[in-house]
């Protein structure tokens, strides 16, 4: 088994030369490298070894209490003692006040080492951002310091039986009485809905306070423990048995008149919750990148050691010298490197705050591309290892199982494609996307990217002429993602000599540029043909 090693050199190359993180006034390169190396060391030594344990043992529900796998509680305590849980939270509220880009860098590392645990810890920055934007001063003072210290972890409680992506069907109710608000109803698929890591849990609950539909939904903060130390009226009914992420308890919760506080104004719950969901989607993109990078690391190490057949000189050869295996390894590397560039480009834009419309356009694109990149890379990794890839010994089976959910949760990829077509295509964000690609063309002087941008514009025009038919949603998403992937790879190739592996980066990048230019042209023509045939 290949021991987990954080790909920090690749990450910082991407941040500095492709995502241009240095443009951010808040970015401190020297400090960020120092913090990231300390974080990676902790993860490699303390959290990565628990990944296989968590997959094997899973979580247990005993007497209404969720018990985490062996070693998780102790590791979480050390994690919090080192201050990691408050890394990007405001200093005035108990955090370290570091950059959100640095926070996401750390979560990429943690996702590659222990995705299940990352699921439980990564909601804290999003919950804090939500409270800072929509919560009262009293709520911020009461709830954010425990999140920063790790005393409390957060959940997002949206989904109900029969109300998944269609939130207008939510039935969970919040009723006001003389003692405040009380929540009654069921929520399902709640990551970390119960766990014994933190002393408390802040459930962020979307509940109905008014009319049917989306306008009647409000957001509430519902603590698992009340101010007097007693338990709130929230019970864990079951833990779902899942394909992967066995150490992340996915719970069904029952709220039986649980005391809660309204966050923001009545009827504005969806606006507040979406601010947290958009953060979660960029986190999912980096989960996909982390799985692609981990799968490549395992497969590349195996292929460099496994001898089979002979080279052109008749000498014994390792399988990474065989063309088929090398092509698979190169595709895995391309997906990890290119997906990382896409995700961090968006994160830098978020941190800058300059183009929110462009962020809205790009968020579904990177969520879809990077999640599917992780799934594709794990499949290829198993192919490289052959029969050994199907065994548990090399951990690719777990990487494969854990990665699969990324295309489903935080908005299934089909829904993201629909949103891009119907909501974002006519937006200012679409215009700014064209400007972003044009800017990259200007930087790289790459004619193939310029030609692909032209093909994308033609496709966009045809879709607008035909009223953006939903059957074109997946195709348009793929063309858009490929264009961004190709454009950022063009910049990566331009700086390959500064990368951790110049030969590999240059070889892989040249292959990506050729293949994606052909794919974008073909897909654009295919979509045009399908629309014309109506």
């Amino acid at each position: 088994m290949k021991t987990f090693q954080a790909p920090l050199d690749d990450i910082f190359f991407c941040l500095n030369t492709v995502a241009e993180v240095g443009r951010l006034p808040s970015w401190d390169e020297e400090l960020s490298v120092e913090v990231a190396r300390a974080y990676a060391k902790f993860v490699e030594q303390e959290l990565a070894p628990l990944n296989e344990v968590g997959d094997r043992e899973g979580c247990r529900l005993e007497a209404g209490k969720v018990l985490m796998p062996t070693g998780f509680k102790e590791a979480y305590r050390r994690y919090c003692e080192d201050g990691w849980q408050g890394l990007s939270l405001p200093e005035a509220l108990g955090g370290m006040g570091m950059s959100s880009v640095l926070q996401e860098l750390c979560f990429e590392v943690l996702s590659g080492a222990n995705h299940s645990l990352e699921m439980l810890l990564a909601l804290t920055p999003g919950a804090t951002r939500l409270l800072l934007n929509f919560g009262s001063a009293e709520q911020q003072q009461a709830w954010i310091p425990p999140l920063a210290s790790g005393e409390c972890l957060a959940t997002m409680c949206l989904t109900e039986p029969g109300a998944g992506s269609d939130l207008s069907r939510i039935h969970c109710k919040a009723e006001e009485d003389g003692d405040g608000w009380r929540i009654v109803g069921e929520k399902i698929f709640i990551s970390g809905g119960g766990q014994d890591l933190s002393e408390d849990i802040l459930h962020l609950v979307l509940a109905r306070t008014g009319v049917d539909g989306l306008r009647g939904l409000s957001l509430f903060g519902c603590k698992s423990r009340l101010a007097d130390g007693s338990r709130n009226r929230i019970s864990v009914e079951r833990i779902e048995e899942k394909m992967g992420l066995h150490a992340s308890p996915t719970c069904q919760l029952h709220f039986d008149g649980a005391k809660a506080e309204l966050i923001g104004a009545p009827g504005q719950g969806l606006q507040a919750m979406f601010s947290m969901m958009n953060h979660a989607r960029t986190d999912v993109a980096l989960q996909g990148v982390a799985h692609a990078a981990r799968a490549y690391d395992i497969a590349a190490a195996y292929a460099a050691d496994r001898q089979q057949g002979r080279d052109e000189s008749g000498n014994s050869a390792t399988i990474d010298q065989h063309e088929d295996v090398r092509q698979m390894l190169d595709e895995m590397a391309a997906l990890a490197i290119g997906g990382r560039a896409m995700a961090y480009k968006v994160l830098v834009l978020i941190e800058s705050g300059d183009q929110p419309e462009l962020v809205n356009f790009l968020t579904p694109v990177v969520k879809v591309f990077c999640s599917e990149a992780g799934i594709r890379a794990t499949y290829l990794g198993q192919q490289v290892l052959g029969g050994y890839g199907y065994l548990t010994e090399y951990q690719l089976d777990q990487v494969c199982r854990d990665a699969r959910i990324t295309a489903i949760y935080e908005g299934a990829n089909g829904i993201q494609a629909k949103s891009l077509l119907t909501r974002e295509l006519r937006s200012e964000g679409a215009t700014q996307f064209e400007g972003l690609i044009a800017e990259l063309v200007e930087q790289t002087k790459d004619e193939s990217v310029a030609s692909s941008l032209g093909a994308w514009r033609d496709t966009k025009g045809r879709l607008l002429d035909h009223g953006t038919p939903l059957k074109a949603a997946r195709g348009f998403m793929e063309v858009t993602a490929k264009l961004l992937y190709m454009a950022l790879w063009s910049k990566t190739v331009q700086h390959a000599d500064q990368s951790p592996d110049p030969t590999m980066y240059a070889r892989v990048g040249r292959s990506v540029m050729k293949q994606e230019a052909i794919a974008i042209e073909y897909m654009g023509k295919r979509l045009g043909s399908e629309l014309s045939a109506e």
Side-chain angles (χ1 to χ4, degrees), residues 147-221:
L147 289 170
S149 69
E151 176 188 337
C152 185
L153 288 171
T155 72
M156 284 196 302
C157 299
L158 287 79
T159 308
E160 300 178 12
S165 300
D166 185 1
L167 297 177
S168 67
R169 298 172 64 89
I170 283 178
H171 294 294
C172 185
K173 292 184 178 180
E175 301 170 341
E176 195 171 15
D177 60 20
D179 193 30
W181 291 89
R182 293 188 178 273
I183 295 178
V184 177
E186 304 283 337
K187 293 291 183 179
I188 62 172
F189 293 162
I190 309 306
S191 298
Q195 36 77 17
D196 62 348
L197 299 181
S198 61
E199 297 176 23
D200 202 354
I201 301 174
L202 174 61
H203 299 288
L204 297 169
V205 185
L206 205 58
R208 189 163 298 286
T209 55
V211 297
D212 291 341
L214 299 177
R215 288 181 299 171
L217 297 176
S218 303
L219 182 65
F220 294 86

